[in-house]
Amino acid sequence: MQTTLRGVGVSHGVAIGEVRHMGTAVLEPPAKQIPTEDAEREQGRARQAVEAVAADLNARGNLAGGEAQGVLEAQAMMAQDPELMTDVERRIADGTTAERAVYEAFASYRDLLAGAGEYLAGRVADLDDVRNRIVARLLGVPMPGVPDSDEPYVLVARDLAPADTALLDPTLVLGFVTEEGGPTSHSAILARQLGVPAVVALPGAVELAEGTMVAVDGGSGEVFTEPSAEKRAELAKAEEARRAALAASSGPGATSDGHKVPLLANVGGPADLPAALEAGAEGVGLFRTEFLFLDDSKRAPSEEKQVAVYRQVLEAFPEGRVVVRVLDAGADKPLDFLTPADEPNPALGVRGLRSLLDHPDVLRTQLTALSKAAEGLPVYLEVMAPMVADRTDAKAFADACREAGLNAKFGAMVEIPSAALRARSILQEVEFLSLGTNDLAQYTFAADRQVGAVSRLQDPWQPALLDLVAMAADSAGAEGKSCGVCGEAAADPLLACVLTGLGVTSLSMGAASIPYVRATLAKYSLAQCERAAAAARAADTAEQARAAAQAVLSDD
């Protein structure tokens, strides 16, 4: 009998297949004592296991490329954390086996993360995965992971670690469903990069029986168990129409009446450029430079290294627009040379621009490197600061750009509600705004973007969030300046129409989403988008907002 379950759709497309479950987690190793003379040998085993796991994660990252590489390299650094290793060796010296020492040390660190604020709590799943891989290697058992199957299937799991998601084979894994996670979790971001239909935050997902036939709609977030022949035909028809629209869509982003909406790509470095160019991106709307800095948490990359990487990205879009976000460190992206180690709540502490203003040499080097990288290129370089709270922040950043001799537009990210509320004031100091809807939702609703239990508050369709977007866009319009969106909200084709109707002037997203957004925008006029935006803002819930916008566009 067909039933309908609803989670959060995070990657477009439809997948129909049988359920296969991700392998279960590594069991807790037994607590056993070892003779004192065995401690040195056990410590050596622990070090070897840690290095092997770190090497494996880095290798997976190299194979995956793109954003996945940065995520997996960060996990490898987590495995090699010197404080964790010191704790492991201390426990072994006290008579604990290597595997038990790793388990207990990671458990202790896990508790610290879970209680250190919402951002770091969101890294618990990544930490658990690293622990499991090290313990499995020490126990000599296979690491639980993607099931072995010769037939295509729909993967179901409580959550997916980045190391598993990054190397999924799309020819076998038709789509995936998780019980935890949110629209901006690592798994969701990597699913979009792979082009695999995915639904997250689905209550009771792990209770789906092995072999159950399901249909997964990664756009609507619906999962149909034992779908009827009629439902399969309906989904197949919709998917065929969607693919046809994608194939017919090309050129710059625009509404049906010619209102231009540049469609840009979010990139983490040169590895993301081929996909962005293939998708027809008109430039880069968010260059996340922090991935370059995560290679070594002890020191910033040299000016020469930064120049080389920045120039590769700038050269990919001659005469195009490239928006660079300066280093966004802190919270879930701590750097030993930059961010405090003892903040009680890092998400609300010294992060983003605050860190850079405390370390002006790091900011100056990055701005100088960007200036040198752009020399002789016709690219339109724009540089923006993360976590701008008010006009004082915006002025400090603009002054730093001028002092570095940077020939570019200076902008501010709107990720804090105060920045949206006082956007017109901020625009007295900078030339453009860019809305980071992921963090803006997180701070508006006090809802961690990595926690599935509060995913409804991370839904970018929340009317309160749309109100803040409208405030920022209206302010930019009044000042004759631009206001883009570079959060994951831009990747939702229907929401892209609403954002356009709210006055947003450009949309930046993962490369895989660009064709979907381009095709959908081309179906509607600016006036239709404005009516859909008004209907969405008049709603009381995210679900009602989406339905209201859809109804307006369907009726029109």
Side-chain angles (χ1 to χ4, degrees):
M1 176 180 174
Q2 178 179 305
T3 59
T4 303
L5 307 174
R6 181 176 289 277
V8 179
V10 296
S11 185
H12 306 295
V14 172
I16 301 176
E18 292 186 355
V19 166
R20 294 286 182 274
H21 284 272
M22 178 68 79
T24 56
V26 174
L27 295 176
E28 179 180 346
K32 295 194 302 184
Q33 290 295 109
I34 59 170
T36 302
E37 59 269 22
D38 289 347
E40 188 174 342
R41 177 178 60 83
E42 288 293 287
Q43 289 171 342
R45 287 181 62 228
R47 286 192 294 270
Q48 289 175 0
V50 164
E51 292 305 318
V53 167
D56 177 62
L57 290 168
N58 281 319
R60 286 169 179 259
N62 290 332
L63 286 172
E67 291 184 82
Q69 183 169 3
V71 172
L72 292 173
E73 286 176 350
Q75 266 198 299
M77 289 170 58
M78 188 181 286
Q80 295 172 303
D81 184 277
E83 291 185 15
L84 261 175
M85 197 63 231
T86 298
D87 191 13
V88 168
E89 293 184 340
R90 179 188 61 77
R91 292 172 188 272
I92 293 174
D94 289 341
T96 305
T97 62
E99 50 267 31
R100 184 69 191 186
V102 168
Y103 184 87
E104 291 179 354
F106 271 74
S108 178
Y109 194 40
R110 187 187 199 279
D111 291 341
L112 287 174
L113 282 184
E118 293 181 349
Y119 255 117
L120 290 179
R123 292 295 166 266
V124 166
D126 290 1
L127 185 71
D128 287 347
D129 180 59
V130 172
R131 176 204 64 200
N132 288 347
R133 292 177 185 279
I134 298 172
V135 171
R137 183 169 287 274
L138 287 166
L139 291 174
V141 300
M143 176 63 200
V146 178
D148 185 16
S149 174
D150 295 328
E151 298 296 325
Y153 58 90
V154 172
L155 181 62
V156 175
R158 185 168 301 280
D159 201 356
L160 284 172
D164 294 317
T165 314
L167 296 182
L168 290 178
D169 181 353
T171 64
L172 283 177
V173 180
L174 302 172
F176 69 73
V177 178
T178 66
E179 186 159 320
E180 299 179 354
T184 58
S185 65
H186 283 154
S187 294
I189 292 170
L190 296 181
R192 286 188 285 271
Q193 179 178 311
L194 288 167
V196 177
V199 172
V200 302
L202 182 77
V206 296
E207 297 172 14
L208 290 169
E210 187 86 1
T212 300
M213 182 63 68
V214 295
V216 179
D217 188 333
S220 70
E222 294 173 308
V223 175
F224 305 93
T225 64
E226 303 298 349
S228 64
E230 292 78 11
K231 175 54 70 174
R232 291 195 202 189
E234 175 189 329
L235 291 171
K237 184 178 180 181
E239 181 66 6
E240 184 179 344
R242 181 160 41 198
R243 291 182 182 278
L246 291 178
S249 173
S250 62
T255 58
S256 63
D257 56 341
H259 175 72
K260 293 182 179 180
V261 187
L263 302 181
L264 313 171
N266 295 342
V267 304
D272 292 336
L273 295 175
L277 293 167
E278 184 179 351
E282 298 169 60
V284 172
L286 173 62
F287 178 8
R288 301 183 180 96
T289 59
E290 58 267 21
F291 288 124
L292 176 60
F293 287 76
L294 291 172
D295 284 345
D296 185 350
S297 69
K298 302 297 183 185
R299 61 185 63 85
S302 67
E303 181 182 303
E304 292 74 19
K305 182 177 180 179
Q306 291 188 54
V307 169
V309 173
Y310 300 154
R311 193 168 180 89
Q312 286 184 67
V313 176
L314 296 175
E315 286 177 336
F317 292 95
E319 300 184 11
R321 177 186 178 200
V322 176
V323 184
V324 179
R325 180 175 70 190
V326 294
L327 175 61
D328 183 16
D332 60 334
K333 293 168 285 192
L335 294 171
D336 293 346
F337 66 87
L338 194 69
T339 52
D342 56 352
E343 287 187 307
N345 192 341
L348 301 180
V350 182
R351 61 166 298 199
L353 179 62
R354 298 167 188 174
S355 294
L356 293 174
L357 294 178
D358 279 353
H359 297 80
D361 54 323
V362 175
L363 177 58
R364 188 182 308 110
T365 299
Q366 185 171 24
L367 295 174
T368 301
L370 284 166
S371 181
K372 291 182 177 179
E375 285 179 1
L377 298 179
V379 67
Y380 296 97
L381 175 63
E382 301 185 10
V383 182
M384 61 185 181
M387 302 301 293
V388 171
D390 56 16
R391 183 172 178 173
T392 299
D393 280 351
K395 183 179 187 305
F397 178 66
D399 287 346
C401 290
R402 294 188 191 96
E403 289 170 10
L406 187 61
N407 182 23
K409 284 187 175 182
F410 317 142
M413 290 200 69
V414 177
E415 302 162 283
I416 303 173
S418 64
L421 294 167
R422 301 288 294 173
R424 197 155 185 180
S425 172
I426 288 172
L427 284 164
Q428 304 311 304
E429 304 294 343
V430 296
E431 299 171 83
F432 69 93
L433 300 177
S434 183
L435 287 145
T437 53
N438 303 343
D439 269 325
L440 185 57
Q442 174 168 250
Y443 289 117
T444 299
F445 297 104
D448 189 339
R449 55 195 283 187
Q450 298 291 336
V451 176
V454 294
S455 62
R456 77 172 186 86
L457 297 173
Q458 265 291 328
D459 191 326
W461 282 93
Q462 286 284 355
L465 186 65
L466 298 181
D467 288 343
L468 291 174
V469 172
M471 282 184 180
D474 287 347
S475 295
E479 294 293 329
K481 296 179 178 180
S482 63
C483 177
V485 167
C486 62
E488 292 300 319
D492 180 333
L494 181 61
L495 186 52
C497 295
V498 168
L499 294 172
T500 298
L502 292 174
V504 167
T505 55
S506 66
L507 300 167
S508 189
M509 65 208 75
S513 299
I514 291 176
Y516 290 93
V517 173
R518 182 192 294 119
T520 304
L521 269 178
K523 293 165 58 178
Y524 306 108
S525 68
L526 176 59
Q528 287 176 301
C529 292
E530 289 172 342
R531 286 195 291 274
R537 288 185 67 191
D540 291 321
T541 68
E543 293 78 10
Q544 291 171 2
R546 177 187 284 274
Q550 183 68 71
V552 168
L553 295 177
S554 297
D555 290 344
D556 287 349

